[in-house]
Amino acid sequence: MASKRQQLFYIGITAFAILHPCACIEFHRELSSWSNGLATWYGAADGAGSEGGACGYQNAVDQPPFSSMIAAGCPSIYDYGKGCGTCYQLVCTGNEACSGIPVTVVITDECPGCPCPDEQVHFDMSGTAFGALAKPGQDNQLRAAGAIQIQYTRVQCQWPGVGLTFSVDSGSNPNYLAVLIEYDDSDSDLSSVDIMQSGPGATGQWIPMQQSWGAVWRLNSGSALQGPFNIRLTFSSGRVLVASNAMAMTRGRHSGACRGYEAAGTMSGLLFYHLLLLCVVLQLSTAM
């Protein structure tokens, strides 16, 4: 009779045969345990780092729900803008002023000069977020250190009282649409965005958008666009979020009515998550 470890291994192999070859690796990476990193800070001591930064959130970074608890990520964290809006928990470990209590930050900017080797991910935090790592009354002492050792882990964002939001960029016109995407609650990076026109004469087909910069995605149709629009977000974990009637062709901020997360491709959502569970089983079996 096969051992328990062998049985778990066979189950895991079955999952690998069905899933995309990289799915288990990606899933394990994004929901991994704590890793070592480096943290610095920039901007004002009690500020939000910069106004908007490389993600395009503008002055929203010092307002709820960001509330200045933000960081600029090194290139592998920023990921050419696909890491914008992702959340990490950080805990300070390398200074006597460290509280040892985790704080959550949102990636809203890039730190292009920050080193980012595999073993030492770098977060350049706002002064506010950096000070939040300290014991009560010792935030200035911690900021005086300049650079500190931390541990970090990827977490799912929580946006209390705020839904997924699409802001039409001021440069948009009837033939060109640019959209800033904010407040998605995925635990993985945004990998693609598609849009569907639903006005009179629309084909009902999904049209891929191109990433313009940061969290801004664009469509240059060459002909007049017809709203309202449905928007589909696909994440690196394979999850898909469809926002129905997300916005009209008007400038400003719009909140879409979301159908929720679905599995990418032809698999049902339930099967997708079962296969991810099998992937985790395989990871556990290798540690037995």
Side-chain angles (χ1 to χ4, degrees):
M1 180 178 294
S3 67
K4 184 175 181 181
R5 179 174 178 176
Q6 288 173 323
Q7 291 172 351
L8 290 172
F9 180 79
Y10 295 145
I11 292 173
I13 288 296
T14 302
F16 264 106
I18 300 174
L19 282 170
H20 185 281
C22 295
C24 288
I25 297 172
E26 180 72 13
F27 182 71
H28 178 70
R29 180 186 69 82
E30 292 176 345
L31 299 183
S32 62
S33 58
W34 295 85
S35 302
N36 294 322
L38 178 70
T40 52
W41 64 280
Y42 71 118
D46 57 352
S50 65
E51 293 186 2
C55 288
Y57 298 135
Q58 301 176 11
N59 58 3
V61 295
D62 62 356
Q63 304 295 322
F66 292 113
S67 301
S68 301
M69 295 296 291
I70 61 91
C74 63
S76 69
I77 295 293
Y78 179 74
D79 192 19
Y80 302 99
K82 291 183 173 63
C84 287
T86 56
C87 295
Y88 291 84
Q89 277 194 340
L90 278 58
V91 62
C92 171
T93 59
N95 189 285
E96 291 183 356
C98 292
S99 70
I101 300 173
V103 301
T104 301
V105 297
V106 185
I107 300 301
T108 63
D109 201 356
E110 180 184 20
C111 184
C114 293
C116 202
D118 291 339
E119 70 278 5
Q120 191 75 69
V121 167
H122 190 153
F123 295 87
D124 198 18
M125 307 170 69
S126 69
T128 297
F130 195 93
L133 293 169
K135 296 175 182 175
Q138 298 188 33
D139 50 327
N140 287 330
Q141 177 182 335
L142 186 62
R143 280 190 286 262
I148 57 173
Q149 294 296 316
I150 58 164
Q151 289 189 312
Y152 72 94
T153 186
R154 178 73 173 267
V155 295
Q156 186 170 356
C157 294
Q158 302 292 330
W159 305 113
V162 179
L164 178 65
T165 302
F166 305 94
S167 299
V168 178
D169 187 79
S170 59
S172 299
N173 59 56
N175 300 326
Y176 172 83
L177 178 64
V179 180
L180 172 68
I181 301 171
E182 299 174 275
Y183 313 132
D184 71 75
D185 61 355
S186 178
D187 53 18
S188 61
D189 294 351
L190 181 61
S191 60
S192 65
V193 178
D194 303 287
I195 192 167
M196 179 191 293
Q197 303 177 71
S198 57
T203 63
Q205 296 181 338
W206 289 107
I207 304 171
M209 301 184 77
Q210 287 74 48
Q211 186 183 15
S212 183
W213 63 281
V216 178
W217 293 71
R218 72 179 188 275
L219 173 65
N220 192 354
S221 68
S223 59
L225 295 165
Q226 301 179 32
F229 303 100
N230 301 327
I231 296 181
R232 182 174 65 188
L233 311 180
T234 302
F235 299 90
S236 58
S237 65
R239 292 195 294 178
V240 177
L241 178 63
V242 177
S244 302
N245 296 321
M247 61 185 186
M249 188 63 183
T250 56
R251 296 176 184 176
R253 297 163 67 87
H254 307 268
S255 296
C258 300
R259 293 214 306 262
Y261 286 101
E262 305 167 353
T266 59
M267 292 187 293
S268 70
L270 183 60
L271 176 59
F272 180 80
Y273 286 112
H274 281 172
L275 290 176
L276 286 180
L277 179 60
L278 291 178
C279 177
V280 174
V281 170
L282 177 60
Q283 296 285 344
L284 291 174
S285 71
T286 60
M288 293 177 61

